[in-house]
């Protein structure tokens, strides 16, 4: 069974962390992953940097620009992750935009992910209908869960369709926003969390965007299986460097 | 086979809507309604009335006698430079603002490179009394001060794009992010035939008035609707889409697309996407774009700010891939010379974008009785500083 599906069966709220590969330094990727696991993080999204990340706010865009300047590429990332399964056992996902994956070759990309032990992909600009028609069989043949996003504006019909195509969890975007733009949830947002949790979808939901601290993590996971922190962690890396990861994780849980 | 968009939003293998889920409701709302709204009689009436009374259409189809004589062929100029605000861009912004009103939107956002589309958007927002926010690369804001001032006079808020390379592609990213953050009350007026479906088709349809008029005008002047060639410069490709539109599926009409070679196609400072680009995804569309081997989008270069977009619209990518259109690239130097030449021969100072299209006659030869229609997409006022510096005027 895929590590993501195993993890989702555990009786706990999951803390998932996103970071941009190659940031702050090109060679930080593996040690960041190891440190996050050591400090009790349940799942990691490894960001494959892209020059034009449409769904992201300034924090992730800047870290991506820096990572690319540091020399991060798809090939480089795969090279760094070679052997990661010798030391890391929690689920690992790659989150990135579709163009770099397309240039690498979707088939080749999936093969490489399987070889390394990547469990899932999050590709915000690969639409669910295109995935379903063209790529689903390739992803599944390589044991990869593809994770789709839903937002407060996503219709019930579409949520059900996304649920039917998904095979891990659904990434629930907390509000109509790019990443890193808000902290704290309004009543509307809590209503939306509640509404979705009451739909009793086949796939559990993990909430992302706008989760930055212990309070927002607690609030989000009242309604969902877990929550993802991205921009806040990147900011922490920017301000405190890679040696204070334990401090960041401890403050969330 | 048709060169128009198919029902799924593709031109051949190009196009589609590769957008994050956060944009899906906005784009889907537009996609499911744009054709019906455009067909409404009241929409058509209002659109045509504004094009006539406000924009000044139909624009003349002018036989450029001295220019023709020099190149020994028959050259007509479609005078989009005479449109209100100085370029074809306003055809699209008029159409889209009427669309936005019918969709119940109250707030307009746009991206702009050189500022022409920003000005055309700010203009129609003033006309309709709607809030207008224009995203513009921080570097372009410095380079294009007069257009920034125009937008401000027209009541628009100009927000600098500070991310990435701080030019047009980043301004487009910022506009898309704004739309993600404001999914209910906002319409995004894209300025070219780029972006997710239905934008390339919708913008092409609003610009198609250009070739629609040419058909009637040419019939009057030459006794036939179809020229032998239509020629336009291509950045994203909206003026080109407009002049090609009604001729796309008429094989007897040759289509010529002119890209900016910058300092030379292989100098590393170029915007010739068809020569340098590879298939990929930019701003929600599958098309040809300039990128690194790793799939990072690169920054193009051209002396003309309106042509330095790293992609081309999916319609044009398909015209290139299928061989339906002939693609030619023109360097900065050759374009500048052609701009000066048209000024001298015809008393018309063209935008530098347009000058690229005019420059093909030095190398691309036509028969004496060929009828060649060039889209004179914009006037050169905005480029005066560049002309002054280049020619030491």
């Amino acid at each position: 069974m895929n590590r993501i599906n195993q993890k989702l069966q555990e009786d706990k709220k999951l803390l998932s962390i996103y970071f941009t590969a190659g940031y702050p330094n090109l060679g930080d990727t593996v040690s960041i992953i190891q440190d996050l696991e050591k400090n009790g993080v349940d799942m990691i999204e490894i960001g494959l940097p892209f020059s034009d990340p449409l769904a992201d706010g300034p924090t992730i865009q800047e870290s991506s620009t820096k990572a690319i300047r540091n020399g991060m590429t798809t090939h480089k990332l795969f090279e760094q992750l070679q052997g990661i399964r010798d030391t890391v056992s929690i689920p690992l996902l790659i989150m990135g935009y579709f163009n770099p994956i397309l240039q690498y070759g979707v088939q080749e990309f999936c093969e490489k992910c399987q070889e390394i032990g990547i469990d899932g992909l999050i590709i915000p600009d690969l639409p669910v209908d295109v995935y379903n028609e063209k790529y689903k069989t390739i992803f599944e043949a390589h044991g990869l869960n593809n994770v789709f996003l839903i937002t407060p504006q996503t219709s019930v019909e579409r949520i059900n369709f996304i649920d039917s195509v998904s095979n891990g969890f659904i990434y629930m975007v907390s509000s109509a926003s790019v990443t890193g733009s808000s902290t704290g949830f309004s009543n509307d947002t809590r209503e939306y969390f509640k509404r979705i949790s009451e739909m009793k979808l086949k796939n559990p939901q993990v909430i992302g965007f706008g989760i930055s601290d212990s309070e927002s993590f607690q609030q989000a996971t009242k309604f969902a299986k877990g929550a993802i922190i991205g921009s806040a962690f990147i900011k922490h890396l920017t301000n405190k460097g890679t040696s204070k990861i334990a401090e960041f994780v401890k403050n969330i849980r | 086979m048709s060169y128009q968009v198919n029902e799924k939003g593709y031109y051949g293998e190009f196009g589609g809507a590769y957008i994050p889920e956060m944009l899906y409701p906005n784009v889907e709302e537009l996609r499911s309604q744009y054709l019906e709204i455009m067909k409404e009689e009241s929409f058509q009436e209002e659109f045509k009335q504004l094009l006539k009374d406000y924009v000044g259409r139909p624009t003349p189809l002018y036989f450029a006698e001295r220019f023709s004589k020099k190149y020994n062929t028959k050259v007509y100029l479609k005078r989009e430079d005479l449109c209100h605000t100085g370029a074809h861009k306003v055809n699209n912004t008029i159409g889209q603002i009427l669309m936005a009103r019918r969709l119940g939107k109250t707030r307009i956002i746009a991206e702009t490179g050189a500022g022409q589309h920003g000005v055309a958007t700010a203009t129609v927002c003033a006309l309709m009394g709607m809030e207008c926010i224009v995203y513009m690369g921080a570097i372009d804001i410095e380079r294009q001060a007069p257009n920034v001032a125009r937008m401000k006079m027209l009541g628009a808020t100009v927000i600098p794009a500070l991310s990435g390379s701080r030019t047009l592609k980043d301004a487009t990213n910022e506009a898309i992010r704004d739309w993600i953050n404001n999914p209910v009350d906002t319409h995004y007026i894209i300025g070219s035939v780029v972006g997710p479906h239905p934008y390339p088709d919708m913008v092409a349809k609003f610009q198609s008035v250009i070739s629609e008029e040419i058909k009637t005008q040419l019939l009057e002047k030459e006794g036939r609707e179809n020229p032998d060639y239509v020629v336009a410069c291509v950045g994203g490709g909206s003026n080109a889409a407009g002049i090609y539109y009604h001729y796309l599926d008429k094989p007897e009409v040759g289509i010529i697309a002119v890209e900016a070679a910058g300092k030379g196609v292989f100098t590393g400072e170029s915007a010739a996407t068809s020569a340098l680009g590879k298939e990929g995804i930019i701003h929600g569309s599958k098309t040809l774009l300039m990128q690194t081997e790793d799939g990072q989008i690169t920054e193009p270069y051209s002396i003309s700010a309106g042509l330095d977009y790293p992609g081309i619209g999916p319609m044009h990518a398909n015209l290139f891939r299928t061989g339906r259109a002939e693609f030619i690239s023109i360097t900065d130097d050759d374009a500048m010379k052609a701009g000066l030449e048209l000024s001298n021969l015809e008393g018309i100072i063209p935008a530098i974008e347009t000058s690229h299209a005019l420059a093909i006659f030095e190398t691309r030869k036509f028969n004496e009785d060929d009828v060649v229609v060039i889209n004179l997409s914009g006037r050169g006022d905005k480029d005066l500083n560049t002309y002054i510096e280049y020619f030491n005027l």
Side-chain angles (χ1 to χ4, degrees), chain B residues 58-349:
Chain B
T59 58
L61 181 69
Y62 166 72
F63 177 61
E65 199 178 339
R66 297 186 67 209
F67 192 84
S68 295
K69 203 165 181 186
K70 162 131 201 228
Y71 292 106
N72 200 28
T73 188
K74 288 168 96 169
V75 177
Y76 283 88
L77 304 176
K78 181 60 174 164
R79 299 290 309 274
E80 293 299 298
D81 60 317
L82 296 176
C83 288
H84 178 44
T85 71
H88 70 289
K89 290 283 183 192
V90 73
N91 301 328
N92 169 46
T93 59
I94 293 266
Q96 284 205 49
I97 198 127
L98 295 178
M99 180 68 65
R101 283 215 307 196
R102 276 162 177 78
L103 293 169
K105 307 293 178 181
T106 53
R107 181 174 174 272
I108 297 294
I109 54 171
E111 85 294 340
T112 197
Q116 289 306 104
H117 174 60
V119 168
T121 304
T123 299
V124 298
C125 286
L127 178 70
M128 299 291 170
M130 282 166 89
E131 186 187 357
C132 180
I133 289 115
V134 179
Y135 289 90
M136 188 168 184
I139 289 176
D140 290 332
I141 287 182
E142 278 170 36
R143 291 195 290 206
Q144 309 287 338
N147 272 343
V148 176
R150 280 188 189 101
M151 288 185 268
K152 286 182 178 165
M153 277 189 78
L154 293 161
T157 306
V158 181
I159 302 182
L162 298 166
S163 62
S165 52
R166 296 183 288 157
T167 58
L168 175 59
K169 83 176 171 71
D170 306 285
T172 308
N173 293 341
E174 292 301 333
I176 291 174
R177 287 176 183 136
D178 180 307
W179 212 20
I180 287 174
N181 289 326
N182 298 281
V184 181
D185 63 347
T186 299
H187 176 73
Y188 176 20
I189 300 190
I190 294 184
S192 192
V193 287
V194 300
H197 178 66
Y199 276 102
D201 183 49
M202 180 172 69
V203 176
K205 283 187 160 70
F206 287 138
Q207 293 293 358
S208 71
V209 64
I210 298 171
S211 45
E212 196 182 309
E213 287 175 3
I214 293 173
K215 279 164 56 184
T216 323
Q217 291 168 324
L218 204 62
L219 187 63
E220 231 168 69
K221 292 179 197 294
E222 292 284 334
R224 54 172 163 137
E225 282 188 351
N226 297 344
D228 296 295
Y229 295 93
V230 283
V231 182
C233 60
V234 175
S238 70
N239 91 80
I243 195 171
Y244 301 163
Y245 193 88
H246 290 283
Y247 298 120
L248 284 171
D249 293 323
K250 302 235 154 94
E252 64 271 33
V253 181
I255 292 177
I256 298 178
V258 186
E259 291 182 310
K263 294 182 177 164
V265 173
F266 299 108
T267 59
E269 289 184 88
S270 175
T273 306
S274 70
L276 299 169
K278 271 192 5 197
E279 193 177 318
I281 311 280
I282 182 170
H283 298 136
S285 178
K286 187 186 253 190
T287 187
L288 294 171
L289 63 134
M290 292 168 59
Q291 52 185 315
T292 65
E293 243 174 62
D294 199 43
Q296 309 296 347
I297 299 172
T298 55
E299 191 59 25
Y301 162 81
S302 163
I303 193 167
S304 150
L307 297 182
D308 62 359
Y309 182 70
I312 50 174
M315 173 201 279
H316 303 307
N318 187 47
L319 294 176
F320 176 73
R321 180 62 59 84
T322 56
R324 171 69 183 94
E326 177 182 344
F327 277 67
I328 297 174
S329 50
I330 292 294
T331 61
D332 288 356
D333 290 340
D334 290 342
M336 295 304 277
K337 260 185 255 159
L340 185 61
E341 182 174 77
L342 190 79
S343 307
N344 285 326
L345 288 177
E346 299 289 348
I348 298 169
I349 302 175

Side-chain angles (χ1 to χ4, degrees), chain A residues 166-212:
Chain A
S166 301
N167 56 357
F169 63 90
I170 290 175
Y171 192 135
M172 202 169 143
V173 176
S174 67
S175 61
S177 70
V178 294
T179 54
S181 43
S182 65
T183 50
F185 299 123
S186 66
N187 284 336
D188 280 359
T189 306
R190 275 190 292 269
E191 269 307 302
Y192 152 68
F193 291 168
K194 201 160 156 253
R195 174 167 66 85
I196 303 299
S197 80
E198 283 167 2
M199 283 180 76
K200 305 285 175 216
L201 299 170
K202 145 174 102 90
N203 294 278
Q205 300 93 57
V206 176
I207 296 177
F209 291 43
I211 321 279
S212 59

